[in-house]
């Protein structure tokens, strides 16, 4: 089982220094390995083999499997936030940013090897981090989203953190339990849901 990071995941992700070429190759290999086989069943030797490097090279940069897993999570958190920023950068209206941000976030999570992938191959590992132990990840995305909401209304919204958390929890619920009466299969369905139900939350 992965232990929870003690400090803000968002702050730590934003502070991540780019790895060197070998480090990036190891992180890429670990991401692919974990998504295909699961974290529990993957070994450092598996990652080294997939990266095309010696196991000792992996250990020099990531002394334990836990540090490697955490490094992958932090990098992927940053990638997700950058993807969201790119998606909404050219949208001046808050309503449109909420709609497009929800579409991108939901699609990103469903397709991501460490979320959608592990829900298929190792749900017992990833589900606790999306439910019972979701505190750090929820706080990170809530902090990011609340910052965007405050910037849009000049910081006047008194319930901004609550609204941001509700949006995060709604998105997570559709990732972990996709079947239901709400059709969210296509981009247009996702956008329609966000415009009708999420935009009003922002007031």
């Amino acid at each position: 089982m992965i232990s929870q990071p003690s400090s803000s995941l968002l702050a730590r992700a934003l502070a991540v220094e780019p790895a060197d070429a070998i480090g990036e190759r190891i992180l890429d290999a670990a991401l692919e390995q974990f998504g295909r086989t699961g974290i529990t069943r993957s070994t450092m030797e598996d990652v080294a083999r997939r990266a095309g490097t010696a196991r000792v090279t992996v250990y020099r940069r990531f002394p334990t499997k836990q540090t490697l897993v955490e490094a992958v999570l932090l990098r992927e958190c940053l990638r997700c936030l950058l993807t969201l920023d790119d998606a909404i950068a050219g949208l001046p209206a808050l309503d449109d940013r909420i709609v497009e941000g929800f579409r991108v976030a939901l699609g990103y999570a469903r397709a991501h090897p460490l979320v959608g992938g592990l829900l298929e191959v190792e749900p017992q590992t990833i589900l606790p981090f999306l439910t019972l132990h979701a505190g750090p990840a929820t706080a990170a995305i809530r902090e990011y989203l609340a910052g965007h909401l405050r910037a849009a209304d000049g910081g006047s919204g008194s319930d901004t953190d609550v609204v941001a958390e509700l949006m995060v929890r709604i998105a997570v619920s559709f990732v972990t339990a996709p079947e239901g009466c709400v059709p969210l299969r296509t981009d247009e369905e996702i956008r329609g849901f966000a415009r009708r139900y999420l935009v009003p939350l922002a007031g």
Side-chain angles (χ1 to χ4, degrees):
M1 185 63 69
I2 313 169
S3 63
Q4 289 295 325
S6 56
S7 59
S8 167
L9 182 61
L10 176 59
R12 295 180 67 197
L14 294 175
V16 168
E17 293 290 335
D20 60 19
I22 295 177
E24 284 295 323
R25 198 164 82 220
I26 292 170
L27 291 175
D28 288 341
L31 176 62
E32 184 177 359
Q33 178 65 36
F34 297 156
R36 287 176 177 269
T37 308
I39 293 174
T40 302
R41 290 177 292 173
S42 295
T43 67
M44 298 290 265
E45 186 172 323
D46 291 330
V47 173
R49 187 182 305 112
R50 193 174 290 276
T53 188
R55 185 172 58 176
V56 67
T57 303
V58 177
Y59 277 110
R60 283 197 191 104
R61 286 166 172 76
F62 308 100
T64 67
K65 181 179 173 182
Q66 176 62 37
T67 59
L68 175 59
V69 170
E70 188 168 317
V72 172
L73 290 173
L74 289 172
R75 189 185 69 163
E76 295 312 299
C77 179
L78 179 57
R79 283 179 168 179
C80 177
L81 298 184
L82 292 174
T83 299
L84 285 173
D85 275 343
D86 287 344
I88 66 176
L91 303 173
L94 176 61
D95 292 7
D96 292 335
R97 293 202 295 271
I98 291 172
V99 169
E100 199 60 21
F102 181 70
R103 181 195 69 80
V104 171
L106 192 59
Y108 191 96
R110 285 172 168 174
H112 198 280
L114 287 183
V115 182
L118 285 185
L119 283 172
E120 292 291 331
V121 302
E122 197 176 75
Q124 72 276 13
T125 295
I126 192 63
L127 274 175
F129 291 89
L130 297 172
T131 53
L132 294 175
H133 305 302
T138 299
I141 305 302
R142 181 190 66 225
E143 184 181 341
Y144 164 85
L145 182 55
H148 277 281
L149 294 175
R150 289 192 182 94
D153 67 9
S156 60
S158 59
D159 295 327
T160 303
D161 287 321
V162 174
V163 169
E165 181 155 326
L166 284 172
M167 290 180 176
V168 174
R169 290 181 179 274
I170 289 169
V172 170
S173 72
F174 282 117
V175 172
T176 57
E179 298 301 324
C181 69
V182 182
L184 293 179
R185 293 178 296 273
T186 69
D187 285 348
E188 286 311 305
E189 287 174 341
I190 294 171
R191 288 190 182 103
F193 172 87
R195 194 168 296 281
R196 182 172 182 179
Y197 296 105
L198 299 186
V199 168
L201 290 176

